[in-house]
Amino acid sequence: MTYPLDHAATIPASAPSRPASYEDLGQLLDLISGDQKHSSASTSTLDILWVLYDRVLQVSPESVDDPDRDRFILSKGHGPAAYYAVLAAKGFISPALLSGFGSFHSPLGHHPDRLLIPGVEISSGSLGHGLAISVGIALGLRIQGRAGSRVVCLLGDGELEEGSNHEALWLAALCRLSALSVIVVDNLSSGLGWPTGVEAPFTAAGWVVERVGGHDRGELERALLRRSEAAPNLIVAATESAP
Amino acid sequence: MTGMRERVADELGRMLDEDNRLVVVLAAISSSLFESSRVRHPERVIDVGIREQSLIGVAAGLAHTGLRPVVHTFAPFLLERPFEQLKMDLCHQGLGAVLISIGASYDSPEYGTSHFCPEDVALLDALPGVDVHVPGHPDEAVELLRRAVATTGTSYLRLSGASNAKPKTVPAGRQRVLRRGSRGSVIAVGPMLDPVLEAVADFDVTVIYANTLRPLDQATILESLGEPAVAMVEPCLAGTSVGLINQALAHLPHRVLGLGVGRHDLHHYGSRSEHDLAHGLDPVSLRSRISGFLGPSQ
């Protein structure tokens, strides 16, 4: 992939020398926000993202263009600080970029741009786009016989209000896309709520469904590694409610 | 004569045989035309059902994995219902697809406004870098399809039930000067060629034919320009291409007339020829409108 010229200089040629640990994430988040306060939109996903990149996804800074990599689709593009912190911790981007968050020449915006950041699979911001793209990626992998690759798409419970998700979740089930996993971060940010649970539409369509604590890294890892043979699977990650 | 839609579906069947990176994505419409292709390539003919947001999102995902998606449905459901998906999932991601519509401006007048899409090209003009092809004959549709699939970007192929009697050969990306005259230039786009040729049969004008509308071949308009008066006759919204013609002629005093489909909602059913008449796009109306624009002959 090639990057626009005026951003190219800001993208590091190589990964940082020392891989960061989970304990370093707070410091990386501080670089982004400039203080110790982090919005719930980003911190609600921190443990999920860490588990994905540390324990689950087969992707590294060296394999961002490998056709057999795992794909992570951040559909819910809001609050990407945790995403950027994890990408920095794992060497996809330099930690030096974090303090420029949101500025004109920074590749790190308040919604990620795949053409600016190595390893970011989709540009997001408008809610309800990631799941259909994920379905297309999973179909594309199946067509090409890349059975070893999986697609993990992260949605928010508020985002789930968008009707496009309901088209796509039925389509995924009808296509029996077992390579696809969806994580819905349930931080009670849906204004009207989901009285029968965010799981309800997925259950109705035949997804394999599990609910875990959104900060329980052990449970998240176990749930993400559990796969179905013939259906996509949903993991509802329950976290603190939005302020 | 076999129509554009059937010819393109047949050709896509052959192309699926030749190119294992090609994938056809449908949303229920025209599904039966792809049945034999689906038997041969069950994984590469995908019908997402009546889910047009997913139609574009899925195409973007397929392109994301290196495949070449060809997406097809009725024009309003291809472009208008999922317009944000075109903007975000294709254009903004830097992913490409070939978008093939049927229905054109009012191919099925009995269906009414929900199935009309004269605004299609104007909408795509609001997005960056989308090629637009408007074939005037089924043979041209097949050739333009192959050109569009051979690129990696996003192209729109506007199929129509309206067709000229004979196909024209046009070099890729160019317009073709059919004849030269001294009173001005008339550009006919796609299926507008036959009505335009009839309308200006005895006028001393330059006639240019275009079946690729974006990017607009401004060079041919300039090179063939005599009297700087250009009438643009397009089968989509009137004036859609006028801005680009003005841009091409910005360095000299000139006049431009944009003829096409009107903006008003007619609230009429009926036949295509009745709608041509209502929009002043029949040969008699075109003759009078172009004649009035050119002014008295010297």
Side-chain angles (χ1 to χ4, degrees), chain A residues 130-149:
Chain A
L131 186 51
I133 295 174
S134 300
V135 169
I137 291 173
L139 286 166
L141 293 171
R142 182 156 83 185
I143 288 168
Q144 296 173 73
R146 302 191 189 281
S149 299

Side-chain angles (χ1 to χ4, degrees), chain B residues 221-248:
Chain B
I221 299 172
L222 265 180
E223 283 159 20
S224 62
L225 191 72
E227 176 67 25
V230 178
M232 178 67 165
V233 188
E234 30 194 359
C236 47
L237 209 59
T240 299
S241 297
V242 163
L244 288 168
I245 296 171
N246 277 324
Q247 187 187 64

Side-chain angles (χ1 to χ4, degrees), chain A residues 117-167:
Chain A
I117 312 168
V120 166
E121 298 285 1
I122 70 159
S123 308
S124 48
S126 181
L127 297 174
H129 287 250
L131 186 51
I133 295 174
S134 300
V135 169
I137 291 173
L139 286 166
L141 293 171
R142 182 156 83 185
I143 288 168
Q144 296 173 73
R146 302 191 189 281
S149 299
R150 62 184 297 189
V151 184
V152 179
C153 177
L154 190 137
L155 305 170
D157 65 310
E159 178 181 18
L160 199 59
E161 293 172 0
E162 293 283 4
S164 52
N165 292 307
H166 299 265
E167 285 187 10

Side-chain angles (χ1 to χ4, degrees), chain B:
Chain B
M1 183 166 67
T2 308
M4 292 186 193
R5 166 157 61 163
E6 292 73 17
R7 287 285 304 282
V8 161
D10 281 355
E11 191 70 10
L12 279 169
R14 275 184 287 280
M15 293 169 79
L16 284 163
D17 298 339
E18 296 162 9
D19 178 0
N20 63 11
R21 307 197 78 71
L22 192 69
V23 186
V24 172
V25 194
L26 307 169
I29 303 288
S30 301
S31 197
S32 62
L33 292 177
F34 289 91
E35 223 155 85
S36 66
S37 295
R38 198 189 342 239
V39 169
R40 294 198 307 284
H41 307 287
E43 292 203 322
R44 287 192 290 124
V45 178
I46 299 167
D47 187 342
V48 302
I50 307 165
R51 297 182 174 88
E52 286 95 2
Q53 298 184 78
S54 288
L55 178 71
I56 305 300
V58 163
L62 292 165
H64 198 287
T65 67
L67 300 171
R68 183 67 170 146
V70 175
V71 187
H72 167 67
T73 188
F74 241 91
F77 320 136
L78 180 67
L79 305 183
E80 302 192 293
R81 191 166 187 125
F83 189 74
E84 191 183 68
Q85 275 76 11
L86 297 177
K87 171 188 164 180
M88 287 301 299
D89 301 1
L90 292 175
C91 295
H92 184 54
Q93 312 287 337
L95 297 169
V98 179
L99 311 170
I100 304 180
S101 73
I102 51 161
S105 291
Y106 43 75
D107 271 1
S108 308
E110 68 279 14
Y111 293 163
T113 299
S114 61
H115 286 59
F116 296 173
C117 206
E119 60 274 29
D120 53 355
V121 181
L123 281 169
L124 293 174
D125 273 347
L127 298 174
V130 179
D131 292 351
V132 174
H133 304 290
V134 185
H137 186 278
D139 289 3
E140 295 170 30
V142 167
E143 188 177 4
L144 292 167
L145 167 70
R146 285 200 171 262
R147 283 183 197 163
V149 170
T151 71
T152 57
T154 294
S155 296
Y156 176 58
L157 184 61
R158 185 191 215 251
L159 305 184
S160 178
S163 171
N164 303 313
K166 288 182 184 162
K168 293 279 181 216
T169 312
V170 185
R174 302 304 303 266
Q175 302 185 359
R176 183 172 154 193
V177 180
L178 299 181
R179 59 176 225 231
R180 288 172 193 271
S182 65
R183 292 176 64 196
S185 299
V186 181
I187 306 170
V189 178
M192 295 313 302
L193 180 61
D194 278 0
V196 163
L197 286 175
E198 188 181 334
V200 303
D202 55 344
F203 290 2
D204 178 21
V205 290
T206 295
V207 177
I208 300 172
Y209 177 60
N211 61 15
T212 289
L213 200 49
R214 298 290 181 274
L216 187 72
D217 172 19
Q218 294 169 314
T220 295
I221 299 172
L222 265 180
E223 283 159 20
S224 62
L225 191 72
E227 176 67 25
V230 178
M232 178 67 165
V233 188
E234 30 194 359
C236 47
L237 209 59
T240 299
S241 297
V242 163
L244 288 168
I245 296 171
N246 277 324
Q247 187 187 64
L249 305 178
H251 59 290
L252 53 101
H254 65 273
R255 298 186 300 122
V256 178
L257 173 69
L259 297 180
V261 180
R263 250 190 187 80
H264 43 293
D265 186 344
L266 292 180
H267 291 275
H268 277 291
Y269 302 103
S271 67
R272 197 163 61 217
S273 59
E274 286 171 302
H275 283 255
D276 288 342
L277 208 59
H279 291 285
L281 296 176
D282 60 295
V284 173
S285 306
L286 285 171
R287 180 180 175 83
S288 130
R289 296 167 84 189
I290 294 169
S291 171
F293 167 70
L294 295 172
S297 51
Q298 302 300 309

Side-chain angles (χ1 to χ4, degrees), chain A residues 167-240:
Chain A
E167 285 187 10
L169 74 85
W170 272 98
L171 185 59
L174 292 165
C175 294
R176 305 167 74 83
L177 291 178
S178 56
L180 176 65
S181 302
V182 162
I183 303 166
V184 172
V185 180
D186 189 2
N187 60 355
L188 307 177
S189 65
S190 163
L192 300 180
W194 293 98
T196 55
V198 294
E199 298 91 328
F202 292 89
T203 305
W207 287 58
V208 175
V209 171
E210 185 169 4
R211 176 178 278 265
V212 300
H215 293 297
D216 186 333
R217 298 199 295 280
E219 279 291 287
L220 282 164
E221 180 182 351
R222 186 195 53 72
L224 279 162
L225 293 175
R226 177 180 159 230
R227 309 290 300 282
S228 156
E229 293 280 306
N233 70 311
L234 168 74
I235 295 139
V236 179
T239 68
E240 71 282 359

